[in-house]
Amino acid sequence: MRSVSLASGAVFGVLALLVVWAIAQQPFATNDGPVHMAFADLIANLRDPDRALQREAYEVDLRLTPNLLPYLLMALLIDFSSVRIAESVIQVLCLLAPTAAAWLALRTVRRDNAWLAIFVFPLSLNQLFFLGLYNYCLSTALFFIAVAVYWKLQAARSIGWAVTLGLVLGLVLTTHAGGFVASMVGIGALAAAQVVLAWRRERAGLAAALLRQRHALLAMLMPLPLLLMSLHESAGTPVLFGPGLRERAASAGRLLILRQAGGADSIIALALSLGLMALLAWAVARLIRQRTRLPAQAVDAMVATLAALAASVLLMFVFPDILGGGWTHFYRLILFPFYWVLLLLARQSFSTPAKLGLLGFAGLISFALLGTTMKNEALVRAQMAPLRQVERFVGTHCTVLPIVLESRPVDAAGGAIPTTRMPYFQAASQLEAQGDRLVLFNYLARLPNYPVRFLPHAEPQSLIFHWPPHYRGTTFDTVDVAAFEKASGIPVDYLLLIGDPHRQTGPLQDVLRALTALSQPLFASRDQRVSLYLRPRQAKSRCVPPPAAQPW
């Protein structure tokens, strides 16, 4: 046992060092990460007298709602460090905290099987992390903590453990609603299965079996008022099922959520999925064969865990993909059945050679997927370098209008590489975290789910790009600067083109030509895919140009 424990600690230690080393150089590029960090910076600094321009466009609402807790944590980190350091810390937590929390949960189930937590690391290198959904990633760690507390509650039923579980579930809800729903469904299935099993085994009556789970029921009721309040506020938003059952089965079965750019990572994801499903089949077959020889309590715990696994699979298949003002809910539920597989495996007996073999498999998958991640990241970082150079040309109290024509990295021929993330899509939002600047392209600040939102008169996605409410696309065919300036009274100072404007056709090409014709070029990358223009100064503008920019 000690050799397995040392080996698993060494594997996780090396993985942790590699993650910290990679992120310490620069946070991984993500879709929405820049926006989330800009939101956290606004929460921390919007009241600063020097942020007058941002106050004209944004409002901060810190009511206790899903998504709030991570923003408060990020704002606190920003207060004590910087936006870049805060994002680095959050990314490290997103990638390492789920594995550490899984170790706690698995150790609670069976001390000598905590090494199974290594399987959680590659599951954390998922598309949702690279989409910048830090809230969701942190909620997966809290899921494991909730499960650990639940089993502690079952071992020592008391009000203290019930309140602790209720508080943890509240933390999950205020971190991310998807993690909360998965936690409630899984823990609810555990408790329900234990009620049925106790009722049938002891024949003491259903009321007595229910009474035994009263502490778990109390814990699950505690966060419900906050959930109901959140559902009330999101009433009227679209509800759509999204991907069909066949697509959901294929995506989950092949663990496509781990695919970043196809090729090697798709093969690694499939190998991990097949390995865990084979272990699940072995565990179920073993339970069926040995159910009469194992202690009744052990059999009940395994059956309850299987019930939670089945409930999480069902949830993944039936939950609407679009609900409550958000989307991609299906993808956020894919991982939880695999988590329950690990929690079931934790109740099995393994020989030391089997443990070392499975640990080696989990370690190989982890290092391979981390290797493909770092290779993909190197390409993205190299192509995003010009965006970091733009910073020195943009002044304070200035507005920047990003026109995102290409959101993915490109190959040598200029074609988009089919990655699952779009790192350039909202990369310009990082400019807002450098003082009183306003970036006029923000996919999230128009939605009701977040604590920072545009004021209606200054919402650029509808005014500039003519997007309808709840629009889920990423394209546009117009750039209506005049409509925004008229409605908001805020002049547009800079144009930031991301992508090759010469590849555009139709009316958009004419719009871009008209916008740039009267503007002064300040910067262009070597491949002409990133270019910054200074628009003619207007009387209402308060923009203070930096020394690097040419004077008006």
Side-chain angles (χ1 to χ4, degrees), residues 444-467:
L444 305 183
R446 63 199 174 99
L447 303 175
N449 316 50
Y450 298 97
V452 177
R453 291 182 293 274
F454 276 117
L455 295 167
H457 73 278
E459 200 283 289
Q461 306 305 118
S462 60
L463 293 170
I464 297 176
F465 303 105
H466 295 183
W467 284 5

Side-chain angles (χ1 to χ4, degrees), residues 105-106 109 120 123 143-144 146-148 150-151 181-191 276 280 283 301-302 304-313 315 333-348:
L106 294 166
V109 170
V120 175
L123 294 174
F143 160 83
F144 282 113
V147 171
Y150 173 82
W151 285 118
V181 170
S183 299
M184 289 285 282
V185 168
I187 290 175
L190 281 177
L276 289 175
L280 170 62
M302 282 189 269
T305 304
L306 278 171
L309 167 59
S312 68
V313 171
L315 178 69
L333 298 173
I334 286 177
L335 294 179
F336 292 96
F338 291 94
Y339 292 160
W340 284 111
V341 170
L342 294 173
L343 288 161
L344 176 64
L345 292 175
R347 295 195 174 274
Q348 312 306 312

Side-chain angles (χ1 to χ4, degrees), residues 339 478 506 528:
Y339 292 160
T478 189
Q528 303 296 308

Side-chain angles (χ1 to χ4, degrees), residues 406-411 413-419 503 529:
E406 297 171 1
S407 55
R408 289 183 168 90
V410 297
D411 56 25
I417 298 174
T419 58
R503 296 171 69 96
R529 292 184 181 278

Side-chain angles (χ1 to χ4, degrees), residues 90-386:
I90 291 296
Q91 288 193 355
V92 168
L93 288 175
C94 287
L95 294 180
L96 299 183
T99 303
W103 178 87
L104 175 66
L106 294 166
R107 191 173 185 271
T108 302
V109 170
R110 183 164 175 167
R111 185 185 184 93
D112 63 340
N113 281 339
W115 57 272
L116 285 163
I118 296 299
F119 279 100
V120 175
F121 179 82
L123 294 174
S124 300
L125 286 168
N126 56 67
Q127 291 179 17
L128 300 174
F129 170 76
F130 291 103
L131 290 178
L133 305 185
Y134 301 150
N135 309 49
Y136 165 81
C137 296
L138 294 174
S139 76
T140 63
L142 289 171
F143 160 83
F144 282 113
I145 294 175
V147 171
V149 175
Y150 173 82
W151 285 118
K152 287 288 188 182
L153 174 62
Q154 294 304 303
R157 294 182 176 93
S158 68
I159 291 295
W161 278 115
V163 171
T164 301
L165 178 57
L167 291 175
V168 172
L169 290 172
L171 289 176
V172 183
L173 178 57
T174 53
T175 299
H176 193 274
F180 172 76
V181 170
S183 299
M184 289 285 282
V185 168
I187 290 175
L190 281 177
Q194 290 187 301
V195 167
V196 173
L197 290 167
W199 175 42
R200 293 190 60 185
R201 188 182 299 281
E202 300 175 13
R203 301 190 181 280
L206 183 59
L210 284 168
L211 190 62
R212 186 176 297 179
Q213 294 297 326
R214 64 188 182 278
H215 296 95
L217 180 60
L218 170 64
M220 296 179 68
L221 289 174
M222 285 176 59
L224 288 187
L226 177 58
L227 177 65
L228 294 175
M229 183 177 67
S230 173
L231 291 174
H232 175 74
E233 291 180 354
S234 62
T237 57
V239 179
L240 297 173
F241 183 72
L245 296 179
R246 183 176 298 180
E247 182 181 347
R248 293 185 182 218
S251 296
R254 296 164 60 191
L255 265 178
L256 293 182
I257 196 172
L258 303 186
R259 185 181 65 184
Q260 296 178 36
D265 46 6
S266 296
I267 297 172
I268 296 166
L270 181 60
L272 177 58
S273 176
L274 292 176
L276 289 175
M277 286 193 284
L279 288 169
L280 170 62
W282 167 79
V284 172
R286 181 177 181 271
L287 173 61
I288 293 172
R289 287 195 312 267
Q290 300 185 3
R291 66 185 184 281
T292 58
R293 298 195 298 271
L294 291 172
Q297 186 177 6
V299 172
D300 287 356
M302 282 189 269
V303 171
T305 304
L306 278 171
L309 167 59
S312 68
V313 171
L314 180 63
L315 178 69
M316 180 185 68
F317 277 112
V318 304
F319 200 81
D321 195 50
I322 300 170
L323 177 70
W327 43 85
T328 68
H329 295 315
F330 156 63
Y331 293 99
R332 305 175 202 214
L333 298 173
I334 286 177
L335 294 179
F336 292 96
F338 291 94
Y339 292 160
W340 284 111
V341 170
L342 294 173
L343 288 161
L344 176 64
L345 292 175
R347 295 195 174 274
Q348 312 306 312
S349 297
F350 298 93
S351 66
T352 297
K355 289 180 180 180
L356 291 173
L358 290 172
L359 178 61
F361 174 69
L364 178 63
I365 291 289
S366 298
F367 285 113
L369 195 57
L370 183 58
T372 62
T373 296
M374 294 173 74
K375 179 182 177 182
N376 293 332
E377 182 65 17
L379 172 66
V380 171
R381 287 180 178 181
Q383 295 193 15
M384 288 189 70

Side-chain angles (χ1 to χ4, degrees), residues 12 15 20 31 65 73 147 177 186 196 205 262 270 274 292 294 325 363 383 393 396 443 449 487 506 518 533:
F12 182 66
L15 289 169
V20 171
N31 278 37
T65 57
L73 173 60
V147 171
V196 173
L270 181 60
L274 292 176
T292 58
L294 291 172
Q383 295 193 15
F393 293 96
T396 57
Y443 201 76
N449 316 50
L518 299 177
Y533 294 84

Side-chain angles (χ1 to χ4, degrees), residues 13-51:
V14 174
L15 289 169
L17 286 174
L18 288 173
V19 167
V20 171
W21 173 77
I23 293 176
Q25 300 176 62
Q26 181 181 326
F28 284 125
T30 66
N31 278 37
D32 297 346
V35 172
H36 293 310
M37 300 314 299
F39 282 176
D41 181 68
L42 286 166
I43 291 171
N45 297 306
L46 191 61
R47 293 183 179 181
D48 186 330
D50 201 39
R51 299 288 186 110

